[in-house]
């Protein structure tokens, strides 16, 4: 595990799982919850992806990054997908309890966004930062209003995983030999074209920690009479997000509504209204044959669904800030670190919101003798 300066890893024992966390070595464990930030990574990644941000946040905060089960240094326990992402969110809760952290500011990237939204449904949080989050209605297989397209969630879940990518994870492939190599997936889909980093090897190392054991990534599938011929199984990561298992739109009904920051990239190919990871969109593009058309299998409008739910959250009294970053793909915290950092510090209350419109300025003239 490649750790940056000032970052340390340790195992936290919880009642059900050994969980790996990253911490800053200079942070004070006595820091109060309102100055504690907890970072939850996305699919095919780990806490390693957060290290630049951890280094860059103010030193009077306490910052913790947690590896979800089956990723990074955390135990590779199987995932009961029929519970949605609750196995993940319950693990986060158990980890924070073991660290004696009753609540905190939660940041979730991609899959992690789904996890922190589920966490907020079950436990108090101080704020939510949703970075390129999965739709509140899961991944694939729904119309704009969140209604399911088929009773078996055809075309979603474990069967949608790319088998060659899975094999390359198993082989710990660090090459650029194929579009499905983790390195090329990072370059083509995690970040926008032209993005440069000195830490690409670390990000690939992080991706390669993804467990492909039974019950982890990608998950199982079953045959379906509906196009494209497979449906969701009951175990594994991708099945946690099928619409029959995952729906966190209930955050609208929370009596205590934490402020929400939603930050995402306009060039995101993974979470999008036209996602290249959505089988229905792949069918519409002609990549998957025999697509039955928009009436039967429309692409999921993932970003629009999130915007709809958060608009209702705001109408119900919640505070929502949306930041849509141009020239940015699936990893704003890597691609636009200054904007991401400032937006995060605003939502946790560390810095104030700028006036909009800005107040008039004054000219102060000093004499040379002053």
């Amino acid at each position: 595990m490649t750790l940056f300066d000032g970052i340390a890893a340790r195992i936290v024992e919880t009642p059900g799982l050994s969980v790996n966390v990253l911490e800053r070595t200079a942070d004070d464990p006595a820091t109060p919850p309102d100055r504690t930030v907890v970072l939850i990574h996305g699919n095919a990644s780990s806490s390693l992806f957060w290290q630049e941000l951890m280094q860059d946040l103010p030193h009077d905060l306490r910052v913790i990054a947690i590896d979800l089960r089956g990723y990074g240094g955390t135990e590779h326990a199987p995932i009961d997908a029929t519970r949605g992402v609750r196995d993940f969110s319950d693990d986060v809760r158990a980890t924070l309890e073991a660290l004696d952290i009753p609540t905190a500011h939660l940041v979730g990237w991609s899959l992690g966004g789904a996890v922190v939204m589920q966490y907020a449904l079950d436990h108090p949080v101080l704020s939510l930062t949703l970075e390129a989050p999965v739709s509140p209605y899961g991944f694939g297989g729904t119309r704009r209003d969140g209604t399911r397209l088929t009773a078996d969630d055809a075309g979603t879940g474990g069967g949608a995983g790319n088998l060659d990518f899975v094999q390359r994870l198993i082989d710990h492939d660090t090459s650029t030999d194929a579009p499905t190599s983790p390195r090329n997936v990072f370059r083509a889909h995690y970040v926008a074209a032209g993005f440069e980093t000195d830490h690409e090897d670390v990000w690939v190392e992080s991706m390669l920690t993804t467990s492909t054991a039974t019950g982890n990534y990608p998950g199982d599938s079953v045959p379906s009479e509906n196009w494209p011929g497979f449906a969701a199984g009951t175990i594994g990561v991708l099945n946690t997000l099928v619409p029959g298992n995952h729906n966190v739109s209930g955050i609208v009904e929370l009596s205590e509504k934490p402020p929400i920051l939603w930050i995402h990239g306009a060039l995101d190919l993974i979470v999008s209204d036209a996602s290249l990871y959505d089988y229905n969109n792949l069918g519409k593009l002609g990549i998957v044959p025999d697509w039955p058309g928009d009436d039967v299998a429309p692409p999921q409008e993932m970003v629009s669904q999130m915007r709809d739910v958060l608009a209702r959250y705001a109408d119900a009294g919640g505070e929502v800030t949306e930041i849509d970053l141009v020239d940015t793909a699936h990893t704003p915290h890597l691609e636009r670190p200054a904007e991401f950092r400032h937006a995060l510090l605003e939502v946790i209350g560390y810095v104030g919101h700028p006036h909009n419109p800005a107040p008039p300025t004054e000219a102060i003239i000093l004499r040379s003798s002053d």
Side-chain angles (χ1 to χ4, degrees):
M1 182 178 294
T2 302
L3 298 177
F4 295 0
D5 289 345
I7 308 295
R10 66 165 162 141
I11 296 296
V12 176
E13 296 295 343
T14 75
L17 200 70
S18 297
V19 176
N20 184 68
V21 301
L22 298 189
E23 299 173 295
R24 303 189 302 185
T25 54
D27 283 359
D28 183 358
T31 302
D34 66 344
R35 287 293 182 264
T36 300
V37 178
V38 177
L39 307 169
I40 308 299
H41 64 81
N43 188 26
S45 66
S46 74
S47 59
L48 293 179
F49 265 89
W50 293 118
Q51 292 187 92
E52 286 182 321
L53 176 65
M54 294 176 73
Q55 289 180 318
D56 201 32
L57 287 173
H59 294 299
D60 54 344
L61 298 176
R62 184 182 185 189
V63 186
I64 298 166
I66 298 175
D67 280 337
L68 299 174
R69 66 169 65 190
Y71 298 93
T74 292
E75 189 176 347
H76 294 182
I79 300 158
D80 179 0
T82 66
R83 304 185 69 235
V85 295
R86 290 178 182 86
D87 277 1
F88 291 136
S89 62
D90 287 352
D91 292 342
V92 172
R93 177 64 173 180
T95 304
L96 296 185
E97 287 180 338
L99 294 172
D100 197 26
I101 299 173
T103 187
H105 300 282
L106 266 57
V107 180
W109 167 40
S110 194
L111 167 64
V115 173
V116 301
M117 291 178 78
Q118 181 62 57
Y119 188 101
L121 286 173
D122 299 331
H123 310 287
V125 299
L126 299 179
S127 72
L128 290 176
T129 295
L130 309 175
E131 179 189 8
V134 174
S135 162
Y137 302 112
F139 201 99
T142 60
R143 300 188 185 278
R144 173 75 175 261
D145 64 0
T147 54
R148 296 163 68 190
L149 298 178
T150 64
D152 62 356
D153 297 322
T156 72
N162 185 292
L163 295 181
D164 193 62
F165 176 68
V166 174
Q167 187 59 52
R168 290 175 184 274
L169 291 176
I170 294 170
D171 295 340
H172 283 77
D173 178 12
T174 61
S175 76
T176 57
D177 292 344
T180 50
S181 75
R183 190 177 299 274
N184 281 337
V185 169
F186 171 81
R187 292 177 178 178
H189 295 167
Y190 283 40
V191 296
F195 173 76
E196 295 183 359
T197 174
D198 294 331
H199 301 303
E200 184 177 88
D201 287 345
V202 181
W203 312 147
V204 173
E205 173 190 339
S206 175
M207 295 172 72
L208 291 173
T209 67
T210 303
S211 173
T212 57
T214 301
N216 292 119
Y217 183 81
D220 62 341
S221 64
V222 297
S224 174
E225 295 181 356
N226 300 302
W227 185 89
F230 68 87
T234 60
I235 57 174
V237 177
L238 297 187
N239 291 318
T240 67
L241 295 173
V242 303
N245 295 333
H246 180 75
N247 185 334
V248 292
S249 63
I251 63 165
V252 171
E253 309 301 328
L254 286 176
S255 57
E256 298 292 330
K257 292 181 168 62
I260 292 178
L261 166 65
W262 174 32
I263 184 165
H264 56 106
L267 302 182
D268 194 337
L269 299 178
I270 298 174
V271 177
S272 163
D273 281 359
S275 170
L276 293 184
Y277 288 69
D278 177 2
Y279 249 70
N280 288 356
N281 189 48
L282 295 178
K284 186 170 187 174
L285 294 174
I287 297 171
V288 179
D290 302 322
W291 178 62
D294 275 319
D295 290 342
V296 176
Q300 184 188 20
E301 298 175 79
M302 302 177 186
V303 173
S304 296
Q305 288 175 332
M306 179 62 75
R307 187 170 288 121
D308 292 347
V309 168
L310 293 185
R312 297 202 302 273
Y313 187 88
D315 289 343
E319 177 186 341
V320 175
T321 301
E322 177 185 356
I323 300 178
D324 186 0
L325 296 169
V326 298
D327 301 325
T328 305
H330 194 59
T331 57
H333 74 279
L334 296 185
E335 300 169 81
R336 303 284 288 275
E339 292 96 325
F340 188 93
R341 175 185 184 274
H342 187 80
L344 173 59
L345 292 178
E346 277 193 13
V347 77
I348 71 172
Y350 190 87
V351 298
H353 295 293
H355 291 283
N356 188 17
T361 58
E362 293 182 332
I364 300 177
I365 301 173
L366 298 177
R367 297 185 304 251
S368 60
S369 59
D370 293 332

